[in-house]
Amino acid sequence: MFVKFLGRWLLVGLLFSGGSTYGQSIKERVSESIGPAPSSAMEGTPDLARVTKQVLAATNQFRTKEGRGELKVNAELTRAAQYFADFMARTDQYSHTADGKEPWQRGAMYGYDYCVFLENIAWAYNSMGFTAEEMARTFMDGWEKSPPHRKNLLDPDVSEIGVGVARSNKTGKFHAVQDFGRPKSQEIVFRITNATDTAVPYTVDGQSRTIDPRYTITHSRCRPPDVRIPQARAAGKQPAGGAVLHPRSGAHYVIRQDSAGQFTVGEE
């Protein structure tokens, strides 16, 4: 994206990365900027620590406005984000894998044991310089208006964040990184026991499974799961397409068969 703003050059670039369930894959969208080469001299260079605080505050304000929970600042995510911002500023490389690592690998490098890991990055340049507030708003405006970046900002299942900002001494560009995470300690672990003498099919997040008689299966998920048991009804409810469960962590469901041969499932 290239914009001429009030007689001065303002360049902004964005790149997106979003993790699937478990945070173990990344899809990237790239946009490129074309314009006059920026000068290394910058007027009004802001306090980058203040920019970071402004981005953190604006992120939580945006999430609150959109009905999402606020994110807690995490030290490991912050170190990973700052490392990568520094790397891109120092090398003038710009991609989620510029350092040869995937985003979640950088998180793990700094000790973050992730369940979900998402990343937004951006760069900005203004020949007249920025205040801290202007720079933070420049990054946030771009992320909020870009559907994939906005999706990361508003992901309902992440709970922690780290932000890093750095300036390239060579080009004068400012690089920003947002790392979002849900730690492994917050994964959802639940059990299903088949107390009947018949194998019972079911699905977890659309994936088909079968639980054999007298067996228990333990599931771990990073996002709230959707469990469906077509042949069973939830205890105390009439069957209507089968039981639909949304387990909390620690839940234990038992499938039983009544005297009429009807399967039921209840939490114990």
Side-chain angles (χ1 to χ4, degrees):
M1 175 173 63
F2 174 67
V3 181
K4 191 169 185 293
F5 178 70
L6 295 180
R8 60 190 183 188
W9 295 113
L10 172 65
L11 285 77
V12 179
L14 297 173
L15 186 63
F16 160 78
S17 170
S20 66
T21 303
Y22 308 110
Q24 294 175 333
S25 67
I26 290 290
K27 297 180 181 178
E28 296 187 1
R29 298 175 185 265
V30 180
S31 62
E32 298 178 348
S33 300
I34 301 174
S39 165
S40 60
M42 286 289 291
E43 299 179 18
T45 300
D47 179 351
L48 298 189
R50 181 170 176 80
V51 175
T52 297
K53 291 180 180 179
Q54 292 283 328
V55 170
L56 289 167
T59 298
N60 276 332
Q61 288 169 4
F62 182 57
R63 286 178 62 89
T64 299
K65 183 182 72 173
E66 297 295 325
R68 300 290 192 269
E70 291 192 0
L71 303 177
K72 179 181 177 181
V73 176
N74 175 273
E76 289 81 13
L77 288 178
T78 298
R79 288 196 290 270
Q82 188 60 56
Y83 153 78
F84 195 47
D86 288 337
F87 179 90
M88 290 190 292
R90 184 177 68 254
T91 63
D92 289 311
Q93 298 183 60
Y94 183 70
S95 80
H96 286 286
T97 56
D99 64 344
K101 299 179 179 65
E102 297 287 354
W104 60 86
Q105 292 175 320
R106 289 189 290 273
M109 181 172 69
Y110 283 91
Y112 192 74
D113 193 10
Y114 73 92
C115 207
V116 177
F117 198 103
L118 309 174
E119 182 174 90
N120 284 345
I121 65 175
W123 64 262
Y125 172 79
N126 188 329
S127 63
M128 299 298 291
F130 293 94
T131 66
E133 290 74 15
E134 287 171 340
M135 179 173 292
R137 182 38 53 193
T138 295
F139 288 134
M140 288 300 299
D141 282 347
W143 286 328
E144 289 175 17
K145 292 174 183 177
S146 167
H149 296 82
R150 184 185 181 93
K151 183 177 180 181
N152 277 0
L153 284 168
L154 296 178
D155 190 293
D157 300 324
V158 296
S159 58
E160 299 176 332
I161 187 174
V163 173
V165 182
R167 177 180 179 265
S168 168
N169 291 328
K170 180 179 179 181
T171 66
K173 291 180 180 178
F174 292 88
H175 293 263
V177 178
Q178 284 181 314
D179 283 336
F180 305 91
R182 180 188 181 99
K184 187 172 175 59
S185 61
Q186 292 180 5
E187 70 180 347
I188 300 167
V189 181
F190 63 98
R191 293 179 294 155
I192 299 177
T193 295
N194 182 0
T196 77
D197 295 321
T198 304
V200 178
Y202 67 103
T203 64
V204 180
D205 297 328
Q207 297 181 337
S208 297
R209 300 293 303 268
T210 298
I211 183 168
D212 290 329
R214 309 297 172 180
Y215 269 77
T216 295
I217 297 179
T218 300
H219 294 275
S220 298
R221 291 292 185 271
C222 291
R223 297 181 183 272
D226 178 271
V227 179
R228 297 173 185 264
I229 309 175
Q231 294 180 2
R233 63 180 176 85
K237 298 181 180 179
Q238 294 299 315
V244 178
L245 310 173
H246 298 288
R248 57 178 175 76
S249 191
H252 179 203
Y253 298 96
V254 179
I255 302 170
R256 303 185 187 279
Q257 194 169 23
D258 63 22
S259 59
Q262 171 68 52
F263 290 102
T264 63
V265 58
E267 184 175 356
E268 297 190 353

